[in-house]
Short mmCIF file of all heavy atoms in Angstrom, two decimals:
data_model
loop_
_atom_site.label_atom_id
_atom_site.label_comp_id
_atom_site.label_asym_id
_atom_site.label_seq_id
_atom_site.Cartn_x
_atom_site.Cartn_y
_atom_site.Cartn_z
N TYR A 219 -1.07 16.51 -42.19
CA TYR A 219 -1.80 17.24 -43.24
C TYR A 219 -1.09 18.47 -43.70
O TYR A 219 -0.99 18.74 -44.93
CB TYR A 219 -3.21 17.62 -42.67
CG TYR A 219 -4.11 18.21 -43.71
CD1 TYR A 219 -4.87 17.39 -44.56
CD2 TYR A 219 -4.25 19.59 -43.89
CE1 TYR A 219 -5.70 17.91 -45.54
CE2 TYR A 219 -5.05 20.11 -44.86
CZ TYR A 219 -5.79 19.28 -45.67
OH TYR A 219 -6.62 19.82 -46.62
N GLN A 220 -0.58 19.29 -42.76
CA GLN A 220 0.06 20.54 -43.13
C GLN A 220 1.36 20.32 -43.86
O GLN A 220 1.75 21.09 -44.74
CB GLN A 220 0.25 21.40 -41.88
CG GLN A 220 -1.00 21.85 -41.19
CD GLN A 220 -1.91 22.66 -42.13
OE1 GLN A 220 -1.41 23.52 -42.86
NE2 GLN A 220 -3.20 22.39 -42.11
N MET A 221 2.11 19.25 -43.50
CA MET A 221 3.37 19.01 -44.14
C MET A 221 3.22 18.19 -45.43
O MET A 221 4.19 17.98 -46.14
CB MET A 221 4.30 18.25 -43.17
CG MET A 221 4.73 19.06 -41.96
SD MET A 221 5.82 18.15 -40.84
CE MET A 221 7.25 17.86 -41.86
N THR A 222 1.97 17.74 -45.67
CA THR A 222 1.65 16.83 -46.78
C THR A 222 2.71 15.72 -46.87
O THR A 222 3.23 15.40 -47.94
CB THR A 222 1.63 17.62 -48.14
OG1 THR A 222 2.89 18.18 -48.43
CG2 THR A 222 0.53 18.67 -48.10
N ALA A 223 3.03 15.21 -45.70
CA ALA A 223 4.05 14.19 -45.59
C ALA A 223 3.41 12.82 -45.30
O ALA A 223 2.20 12.71 -45.12
CB ALA A 223 5.07 14.51 -44.50
N ASN A 224 4.19 11.80 -45.29
CA ASN A 224 3.78 10.50 -44.88
C ASN A 224 3.21 10.60 -43.44
O ASN A 224 3.85 11.29 -42.59
CB ASN A 224 4.94 9.53 -44.91
CG ASN A 224 4.55 8.08 -44.68
OD1 ASN A 224 4.00 7.74 -43.67
ND2 ASN A 224 4.83 7.25 -45.66
N VAL A 225 2.11 10.00 -43.14
CA VAL A 225 1.50 10.15 -41.82
C VAL A 225 2.40 9.65 -40.70
O VAL A 225 2.27 10.07 -39.55
CB VAL A 225 0.16 9.40 -41.73
CG1 VAL A 225 -0.84 9.96 -42.69
CG2 VAL A 225 0.31 7.90 -41.88
N TRP A 226 3.37 8.80 -41.03
CA TRP A 226 4.31 8.32 -40.00
C TRP A 226 5.20 9.45 -39.47
O TRP A 226 5.67 9.37 -38.34
CB TRP A 226 5.17 7.18 -40.53
CG TRP A 226 4.45 5.87 -40.60
CD1 TRP A 226 3.92 5.27 -41.67
CD2 TRP A 226 4.11 5.03 -39.47
NE1 TRP A 226 3.31 4.09 -41.33
CE2 TRP A 226 3.40 3.91 -39.99
CE3 TRP A 226 4.33 5.11 -38.09
CZ2 TRP A 226 2.93 2.91 -39.18
CZ3 TRP A 226 3.82 4.13 -37.31
CH2 TRP A 226 3.14 3.04 -37.82
N VAL A 227 5.37 10.51 -40.28
CA VAL A 227 6.09 11.69 -39.76
C VAL A 227 5.30 12.33 -38.63
O VAL A 227 5.86 12.66 -37.58
CB VAL A 227 6.35 12.68 -40.89
CG1 VAL A 227 6.99 13.96 -40.34
CG2 VAL A 227 7.21 12.06 -41.99
N GLY A 228 4.03 12.47 -38.85
CA GLY A 228 3.16 13.05 -37.81
C GLY A 228 3.08 12.18 -36.59
O GLY A 228 3.09 12.65 -35.43
N VAL A 229 3.02 10.85 -36.80
CA VAL A 229 2.97 9.90 -35.68
C VAL A 229 4.24 10.00 -34.83
O VAL A 229 4.20 10.04 -33.60
CB VAL A 229 2.78 8.46 -36.20
CG1 VAL A 229 2.97 7.43 -35.07
CG2 VAL A 229 1.37 8.28 -36.82
N ALA A 230 5.40 10.05 -35.50
CA ALA A 230 6.66 10.10 -34.76
C ALA A 230 6.82 11.40 -33.99
O ALA A 230 7.23 11.42 -32.82
CB ALA A 230 7.84 9.92 -35.75
N LEU A 231 6.49 12.51 -34.67
CA LEU A 231 6.59 13.83 -34.00
C LEU A 231 5.58 13.94 -32.83
O LEU A 231 5.88 14.54 -31.81
CB LEU A 231 6.41 14.96 -34.98
CG LEU A 231 7.52 15.16 -36.01
CD1 LEU A 231 7.20 16.25 -37.01
CD2 LEU A 231 8.86 15.47 -35.30
N SER A 232 4.44 13.31 -33.02
CA SER A 232 3.42 13.31 -31.96
C SER A 232 3.96 12.58 -30.71
O SER A 232 3.74 12.98 -29.62
CB SER A 232 2.14 12.66 -32.46
OG SER A 232 1.23 12.48 -31.41
N LEU A 233 4.65 11.46 -30.96
CA LEU A 233 5.25 10.74 -29.84
C LEU A 233 6.22 11.60 -29.07
O LEU A 233 6.17 11.67 -27.83
CB LEU A 233 5.95 9.47 -30.34
CG LEU A 233 6.73 8.68 -29.29
CD1 LEU A 233 5.84 8.20 -28.15
CD2 LEU A 233 7.46 7.48 -29.94
N LEU A 234 7.10 12.32 -29.76
CA LEU A 234 8.08 13.16 -29.13
C LEU A 234 7.42 14.29 -28.34
O LEU A 234 7.80 14.62 -27.20
CB LEU A 234 9.07 13.72 -30.14
CG LEU A 234 9.96 12.72 -30.91
CD1 LEU A 234 10.78 13.44 -31.94
CD2 LEU A 234 10.84 11.97 -29.87
N ILE A 235 6.42 14.93 -28.95
CA ILE A 235 5.74 16.05 -28.28
C ILE A 235 4.94 15.58 -27.10
O ILE A 235 4.96 16.23 -26.01
CB ILE A 235 4.89 16.83 -29.29
CG1 ILE A 235 5.77 17.43 -30.39
CG2 ILE A 235 4.08 17.91 -28.57
CD1 ILE A 235 4.96 18.05 -31.52
N THR A 236 4.29 14.46 -27.23
CA THR A 236 3.47 13.92 -26.12
C THR A 236 4.37 13.52 -24.97
O THR A 236 4.04 13.80 -23.76
CB THR A 236 2.62 12.73 -26.58
OG1 THR A 236 1.85 13.06 -27.73
CG2 THR A 236 1.65 12.26 -25.45
N LEU A 237 5.49 12.90 -25.24
CA LEU A 237 6.46 12.54 -24.17
C LEU A 237 6.98 13.85 -23.53
O LEU A 237 7.25 13.86 -22.32
CB LEU A 237 7.61 11.74 -24.74
CG LEU A 237 7.29 10.31 -25.14
CD1 LEU A 237 8.52 9.65 -25.79
CD2 LEU A 237 6.85 9.49 -23.90
N ALA A 238 7.15 14.90 -24.33
CA ALA A 238 7.62 16.16 -23.77
C ALA A 238 6.59 16.74 -22.77
O ALA A 238 6.97 17.34 -21.78
CB ALA A 238 7.90 17.18 -24.91
N ILE A 239 5.32 16.57 -23.09
CA ILE A 239 4.26 17.02 -22.17
C ILE A 239 4.34 16.24 -20.86
O ILE A 239 4.25 16.81 -19.77
CB ILE A 239 2.87 16.83 -22.80
CG1 ILE A 239 2.71 17.74 -24.00
CG2 ILE A 239 1.78 17.17 -21.76
CD1 ILE A 239 1.44 17.47 -24.83
N GLY A 240 4.52 14.91 -20.97
CA GLY A 240 4.68 14.11 -19.75
C GLY A 240 5.93 14.51 -18.96
O GLY A 240 5.90 14.58 -17.73
N PHE A 241 7.02 14.73 -19.68
CA PHE A 241 8.26 15.17 -19.02
C PHE A 241 8.08 16.54 -18.31
O PHE A 241 8.57 16.73 -17.22
CB PHE A 241 9.38 15.27 -20.05
CG PHE A 241 10.72 15.67 -19.48
CD1 PHE A 241 11.50 14.74 -18.79
CD2 PHE A 241 11.17 16.97 -19.55
CE1 PHE A 241 12.71 15.10 -18.22
CE2 PHE A 241 12.39 17.34 -19.01
CZ PHE A 241 13.14 16.39 -18.34
N PHE A 242 7.34 17.41 -18.95
CA PHE A 242 7.01 18.71 -18.38
C PHE A 242 6.30 18.59 -17.05
O PHE A 242 6.62 19.24 -16.05
CB PHE A 242 6.21 19.56 -19.36
CG PHE A 242 5.64 20.84 -18.80
CD1 PHE A 242 6.45 21.97 -18.68
CD2 PHE A 242 4.32 20.92 -18.35
CE1 PHE A 242 5.92 23.15 -18.14
CE2 PHE A 242 3.83 22.06 -17.83
CZ PHE A 242 4.61 23.20 -17.72
#
Side-chain angles (χ1 to χ4, degrees):
Y219 186 85
Q220 295 301 317
M221 294 179 64
T222 62
N224 189 301
V225 298
W226 283 104
V227 175
V229 170
L231 290 176
S232 174
L233 174 60
L234 294 177
I235 295 172
T236 307
L237 289 175
I239 296 171
F241 182 79
F242 171 80

